[in-house]
Amino acid sequence: VQLQESGPGLVKPSQTLSLTCTVSGASIASNNYYWLWIRQPPGKGLEWIGYIPDSGSADYNPSLKSRTSISRDTSNNQFSLQLSSVTPEDTAVYYCASLTVVAGQESWGSWGQGTQVTVSS
């Protein structure tokens, strides 16, 4: 399974950050798969943003939930992130990743290479 992020590298404050992850080697509607967005701000650790599972019902980090939307396009095998009202604190490397859950057991799958997003005017 391969994942590739795409989207603008520069977003102005107060605007909406939009990224897309294109998946190959597996269907995003496959059973037991979870498709995640994760970010790493400069000098900080990884932060989970949210995920969309095979059911299509997304879930979000409570700290970002009010500004976050994750959706999927099964016809193009992609899932997307929208983060609204961004500030410079949203500057980070953004990753998409896959996770499988089988009989309650989680297994990390592939990650995208990451894409740098800078919030600046």
Side-chain angles (χ1 to χ4, degrees):
V1 180
Q2 292 186 323
L3 292 81
Q4 178 66 58
E5 305 91 350
S6 60
L10 180 65
V11 183
K12 294 186 186 311
S14 81
Q15 293 188 342
T16 296
L17 179 162
S18 296
L19 296 175
T20 296
C21 184
T22 300
V23 179
S24 59
S27 168
I28 62 169
S30 297
N31 287 343
N32 306 319
Y33 270 91
Y34 288 67
W35 306 97
L36 296 87
W37 286 102
I38 296 163
R39 69 182 183 180
Q40 186 168 27
K44 298 185 179 180
L46 295 170
E47 179 180 32
W48 168 65
I49 300 170
Y51 64 79
I52 187 162
D54 51 2
S55 67
S57 297
D59 197 10
Y60 307 106
N61 184 325
S63 69
L64 298 170
K65 186 174 183 177
S66 64
R67 300 193 290 128
T68 308
S69 177
I70 296 175
S71 59
R72 67 180 185 178
D73 178 356
T74 54
S75 61
N76 288 309
N77 217 37
Q78 297 174 327
F79 63 104
S80 298
L81 168 70
Q82 290 198 312
L83 183 66
S84 63
S85 304
V86 297
T87 71
E89 285 67 42
D90 294 308
T91 294
V93 178
Y94 284 75
Y95 298 92
C96 56
S98 64
L99 184 76
T100 56
V101 180
V102 179
Q105 195 84 359
E106 296 181 356
S107 298
W108 282 99
S110 300
W111 289 55
Q113 64 183 22
T115 187
Q116 172 70 46
V117 178
T118 300
V119 180
S120 175
S121 55

